[in-house]
Amino acid sequence: MLTKGDDFPLHQTAEPIAYSGTDRNFYDRYFFNGYNPDGSGFFALAFGVYPHLDIADASFSYIRNGMQHNLHASRELGMERMDLEVGPIRIEVIEPLKVLRIRVDGEGIRAELIFTGRAFPIEEPRFTFRNGPRTFMDYTRMTQNGHYAGWIEVDGERIDVAPGCSGTRDRSWGVRPVGAADAQPHSASRQPCFFWQWTPVNLERRSLFFHVNAHRSGTPWNTRAAIAPDGAGHDGFVETPAARMATRHQPGTRWPAGGELAIETDSGPLSVTFEPLQRFQMRGLGYTCPRWGHGLNHGALAVEREDFDFAALDPLAPDMGNLHVQMLCRVTTSDGETGMGTFEQLVLGPYDPWGLTGYVDTPVSG
């Protein structure tokens, strides 16, 4: 089947763009988050395309007065991957790798936001992980910090984003679990475990990025820190795998309460301190969400609003998707720079360095 993408020089195989290899879990996703300089007005968006499931879905979230307001949408893709619109949520690429627009209008939630990158996006190391012979993850992601202009409206109350509103956007594509769960688990299945931390930071004159995926033992299987000065080109950033996060935890949870990131650079060690200001639940964008999980089939078109009160959430309810969070943090560096960033964390199952032995027990050390 030919689609709009076939009229652009985008092909990676001898097949039309509509076909993305043979793995049913192939996906292609946009992610955005943003926040004002004082930590208010946090918003986020996820937009995913699943070619072999023939589905596209999107969610937009905004935090206001202790509530997280979420708009979810899903539709049949019709094999056309170039239409970046799912019901009331739309993305426009104005200048590739630099400027994008978000438009939202549905269920009492509206927004128009323009993102402008601070530097060329970084390409993170390819994420490839297998459970025995089965590919669990195999994807690439580019990440970019930037500034926002525009407004958000919830139930008739419109708020302009503040001057200096900043955040992060990424694009990832490849294979990860999407859609309905596999009905046949791995024959040598063990207690599942997954450890993930990600800290994109907007400092005054530069962007800082750190991530780590680790085994149960604590040994990283994918990690890197990168520093990109404002205006840097594709080869203008500094990167190193020599970085480590010492994490604090909120009592009785698997949520971070800040931490200290140590990065080895050519000019010596750099220490970065994270102090949380507010929490964002990633389930509002479909991540680990039982109803609006990525790639689930909701028919030709489905749109739904979901609001929840942070104070009422059970932090250890994996069936509700509450373990996966982003903490908006005030950030300071040992060389005197300050800024804002997010500390994303998802820890499922055992993790030896923190004394985790089950699925929802809480850390005893860090």
Side-chain angles (χ1 to χ4, degrees), residues 281-318:
Q281 298 291 152
M282 292 292 283
R283 86 177 214 206
L285 299 181
Y287 292 86
T288 68
C289 179
R291 173 163 170 76
W292 288 99
H294 299 146
L296 293 178
N297 187 357
H298 294 271
L301 176 65
V303 178
E304 183 175 274
R305 177 166 166 178
E306 175 190 28
D307 298 340
F308 46 78
D309 183 344
F310 286 109
L313 296 182
D314 179 353
L316 298 177

Side-chain angles (χ1 to χ4, degrees), residues 79 116 154 318:
M79 298 182 73
T116 302
V154 178

Side-chain angles (χ1 to χ4, degrees), residues 4 12 46 51 89 92 106 141 150 153 159 173 199 205 219 259 267 272 274 283 293 313 333 348 352 358:
K4 296 175 185 178
Q12 298 291 318
I89 301 173
E92 299 173 25
R141 182 169 63 182
E153 182 180 295
I159 301 172
W173 58 92
T199 61
R205 301 180 302 276
T219 304
S267 57
V272 185
F274 293 79
R283 86 177 214 206
L313 296 182
T333 69
L348 301 173
D352 295 344

Side-chain angles (χ1 to χ4, degrees), residues 12-25:
Q12 298 291 318
T13 72
E15 293 187 304
I17 289 293
Y19 309 109
S20 302
T22 58
D23 196 313
R24 58 88 73 185
N25 284 341

Side-chain angles (χ1 to χ4, degrees), residues 7 9 65 68 100 143:
D7 214 14
N65 300 327
Q68 184 170 319
L100 297 92
T143 305

